[in-house]
Amino acid sequence: MDKKEKYKVNLVWTACIFLFWEFGAFILDKVLNDPLAEAKLPYPHSIILSITQNFTDLMTASGLTFSRAVMGFTIGALVGFGLAIIMSLSKVAEKIALPYLIVSQMIPVLGLAPIIFTLVKDMDASRIVIAAYITFFPVAINMLSGLNSVDMDKKELLYSYAAKKRSIYYKLMVPFSLPYLFAGLKIAAPMSITASILVDMLGSKGGIGVKLLYSLYSGTKDVFWASVVTSALMGIISYFIVVLFEKIAIPWRRQEAN
Amino acid sequence: MTEKVKNVLLPLCFGILIIAIWQLGFIHAALGFKPFQLPVPSQIVITLRDNFAKTMFDTVITVSAALTGLILGCAIGFLIAVIATMFPKWGYSVLSIIAAVNAIPIVALSPIMNRWFTDGFSQKVGVVTVVCLAAMSINAYRGLNDLRPFAKDLLESYAASGRVIFLKLRLPNCLPSVFTALKINVAAAVMAAMISEYFSASTSGIGFGIKDNLRKGIMAKGWSYIVVAAVVGIILYLIVMMIERRVIKWHASQR
């Protein structure tokens, strides 16, 4: 399967889904005569139309949501990175922190958003806190597994050159773990966007989540589906931004499609 | 043995320390919270004890929806992975599309389901199903197709049919990834059900309990719900881990 072939297959699928959706919307609208057809499953072309009509509006809203997510994501990634380094430096720290990291993964963190919101009282701060909290776990765990999987003989070679701990990390451990780090970042990026949208919906001013929430209580003629598609695109775009950064940061590693 | 004791004691001591600091009000002092904003642990435990029956009722509501969606989502996701494995050329792209679905925020799914279903339970199940479907199909597909080198060639040289290769090689090979997906999904399912409750028509459940009590300003009750949600997440996770130990004893991760 070469690249061109893959591209073709993807294109066919995308077209198929589009047509299938159109067809489904048509069935709902014209054959079943569902009075709520437009709300349940609108025609894709009408969604696209709605997006183009409300383009500036949607862009402003999603820009707000996105920029706040980026803040939290960056802080969370830095904390996760730092924590992974500390855990790899000290076995005691790893023993203390790792069980809590695992447990924090089992807890429905996003569900705690309203609590954090009432605590912090500030929209932007709580958004950043939640996005950071969600981001730091996958980053820390993946980075740590990367640091722990460096070959012993590579380390020993540097020891035999009497390299300092700092230069071992700087020259070997961190570059080696970068692919792992990016695996964590790829998981975290869409999640931090989700967190940001959720905080929007809890009562923020502006942002794409407000549009989603507003549509819950309003009629059918709205930008609801356009907002849904926009928020989905935001999640996907955030993933690809991380992939782009990965290409810049790890040029020596051939990209695997995963 | 001493190593094992250390492994348990260190995190335990740390946890007790944190709870003690919280109980004694150092956190409030450091971050400037009032006691009614962030209740101390003892208060949360007392609140939980006083409202135990109601809290349990709400928990059952949420967890039943989460589990229904989990089973549905995982079954559909696994089926998709199997079908995609049968048609490699067309199947691979389906997985990229599903990966895109995975990037759709849960919070955007919630309102969609609200439009399709009228009762809270189906709304929740709908959201949870979509969330679980993606992780399962991606992981299962990986497990069905990342075979050990030459294993498939060996079976083919014995003239094994596609069905035999699937049953004897692909299926056992995908079990570890399926359990990975399950572990991701149990936490995600509870989370999705809770979030769905914030926006759906339900008037019971953990999510509703949190929302309702925060609106009334009863913080301790809201926190007691959170403790329950965390405990439920941990219990479900442990159940999956126990099943995993039983089922894939032979796998390297279990040694």
Side-chain angles (χ1 to χ4, degrees):
Chain A
M1 236 151 75
D2 55 3
K3 261 214 155 88
K4 217 170 182 174
E5 189 82 347
K6 248 185 207 158
Y7 183 71
K8 247 190 242 160
V9 171
N10 274 335
L11 209 66
V12 171
W13 267 118
T14 316
C16 271
I17 285 176
F18 193 85
L19 288 173
F20 187 73
W21 188 341
E22 283 276 355
F23 183 68
F26 173 78
I27 292 279
L28 206 60
D29 187 19
K30 294 279 188 283
V31 181
L32 296 175
N33 282 324
D34 192 318
L36 289 171
E38 203 177 337
K40 282 185 177 168
L41 194 71
Y43 293 106
H45 66 256
S46 66
I47 297 178
I48 292 170
L49 204 67
S50 169
I51 290 181
T52 46
Q53 275 165 354
N54 302 296
F55 191 73
T56 44
D57 204 14
L58 285 169
M59 279 304 117
T60 340
S62 53
L64 265 175
T65 307
F66 202 89
S67 59
R68 288 155 179 169
V70 168
M71 282 273 288
F73 178 76
T74 314
I75 294 169
L78 287 174
V79 171
F81 182 85
L83 200 69
I85 298 276
I86 292 168
M87 284 197 292
S88 88
L89 279 171
S90 130
K91 275 274 164 272
V92 176
E94 184 177 349
K95 280 208 176 92
I96 290 175
L98 206 57
Y100 286 100
L101 278 177
I102 305 284
V103 167
S104 78
Q105 190 202 12
M106 305 176 198
I107 297 170
V109 181
L110 272 179
L112 314 189
I115 290 268
I116 295 170
F117 178 51
T118 30
L119 262 182
V120 182
K121 285 278 187 293
D122 174 54
M123 213 65 236
D124 291 334
S126 61
R127 193 191 303 266
I128 288 165
V129 167
I130 296 164
Y133 189 91
I134 284 187
T135 304
F136 104 102
F137 173 79
V139 172
I141 286 287
N142 278 288
M143 183 78 194
L144 182 67
S145 72
L147 290 168
N148 284 343
S149 52
V150 177
D151 296 336
M152 214 51 213
D153 48 8
K154 288 199 181 78
K155 273 195 241 174
E156 274 159 6
L157 177 69
L158 284 177
Y159 278 129
S160 67
Y161 289 146
K164 289 194 184 63
K165 204 143 200 138
R166 224 182 67 196
S167 53
I168 289 181
Y169 267 82
Y170 188 71
K171 287 198 163 40
L172 167 69
M173 307 283 274
V174 173
F176 183 91
S177 320
L178 281 181
Y180 292 83
L181 172 72
F182 276 103
L185 290 176
K186 276 182 211 161
I187 298 167
M191 278 163 80
S192 61
I193 298 279
T194 306
S196 190
I197 295 174
L198 180 64
V199 178
D200 276 343
M201 290 175 88
L202 293 173
S204 153
K205 303 250 180 304
I208 198 91
V210 177
K211 292 205 179 307
L212 287 172
L213 189 67
Y214 182 70
S215 60
L216 276 175
Y217 308 112
S218 68
T220 48
K221 266 289 172 212
D222 55 31
V223 288
F224 170 68
W225 279 91
S227 314
V228 169
V229 172
T230 311
S231 59
L233 283 177
M234 277 165 69
I236 296 164
I237 288 168
S238 70
Y239 174 87
F240 280 111
I241 291 175
V242 176
V243 170
L244 184 75
F245 271 104
E246 184 180 29
K247 281 199 168 124
I248 296 166
I250 323 177
W252 64 85
R253 201 165 156 270
R254 251 196 65 251
Q255 279 299 314
E256 285 154 32
N258 51 3
Chain B
M1 191 61 211
T2 47
E3 197 60 20
K4 262 196 178 147
V5 172
K6 232 188 207 170
N7 282 351
V8 176
L9 271 184
L10 275 173
L12 204 65
C13 291
F14 180 75
I16 290 167
L17 184 74
I18 291 287
I19 288 183
I21 289 174
W22 181 358
Q23 177 72 37
L24 297 171
F26 288 120
I27 294 181
H28 296 74
L31 298 171
F33 291 145
K34 305 265 181 305
F36 67 85
Q37 281 180 308
L38 179 68
V40 291
S42 60
Q43 211 183 334
I44 296 172
V45 173
I46 291 165
T47 315
L48 186 58
R49 199 191 58 203
D50 293 346
N51 303 300
F52 195 71
K54 171 83 174 85
T55 316
M56 279 300 115
F57 171 78
D58 280 335
T59 309
V60 170
I61 297 271
T62 303
V63 172
S64 60
L67 287 181
T68 314
L70 178 79
I71 292 165
L72 266 176
C74 287
I76 297 169
F78 190 77
L79 260 178
I80 290 176
V82 170
I83 293 167
T85 310
M86 284 177 184
F87 306 100
K89 185 179 163 179
W90 296 94
Y92 183 80
S93 295
V94 173
L95 267 292
S96 349
I97 289 163
I98 286 183
V101 170
N102 205 11
I104 298 175
I106 302 172
V107 277
L109 287 172
S110 223
I112 297 178
M113 294 299 165
N114 285 4
R115 292 180 169 213
W116 284 357
F117 305 109
T118 43
D119 67 300
F121 185 77
S122 331
Q123 290 171 359
K124 273 181 274 187
V125 171
V127 175
V128 177
T129 303
V130 176
V131 170
C132 292
L133 185 152
M136 179 49 95
S137 60
I138 291 166
N139 274 292
Y141 182 82
R142 198 173 294 160
L144 288 167
N145 289 284
D146 286 358
L147 305 170
R148 247 182 281 166
F150 307 124
K152 191 160 158 272
D153 305 343
L154 177 71
L155 281 175
E156 274 167 353
S157 70
Y158 291 145
S161 63
R163 208 171 59 102
V164 170
I165 288 180
F166 184 84
L167 289 176
K168 294 228 189 279
L169 175 66
R170 289 191 195 273
L171 215 49
N173 194 57
C174 83
L175 283 177
S177 342
V178 165
F179 276 107
T180 305
L182 273 175
K183 279 187 209 159
I184 297 170
N185 279 347
V186 283
V190 177
M191 188 154 79
M194 275 169 76
I195 290 174
S196 173
E197 275 165 2
Y198 292 149
F199 306 111
S200 77
S202 26
T203 48
S204 56
I206 296 178
F208 177 79
I210 292 175
K211 184 176 79 174
D212 199 42
N213 285 308
L214 288 187
R215 205 167 40 83
K216 293 176 191 158
I218 314 171
M219 289 299 274
K221 248 190 186 173
W223 274 91
S224 67
Y225 273 108
I226 287 200
V227 172
V228 173
V231 170
V232 165
I234 292 168
I235 290 174
L236 287 175
Y237 192 93
L238 289 177
I239 290 173
V240 172
M241 258 177 73
M242 268 160 54
I243 298 173
E244 182 184 34
R245 286 242 164 102
R246 284 278 158 82
V247 174
I248 48 170
K249 272 200 182 113
W250 44 267
H251 191 251
S253 67
Q254 299 305 312
R255 278 176 216 130

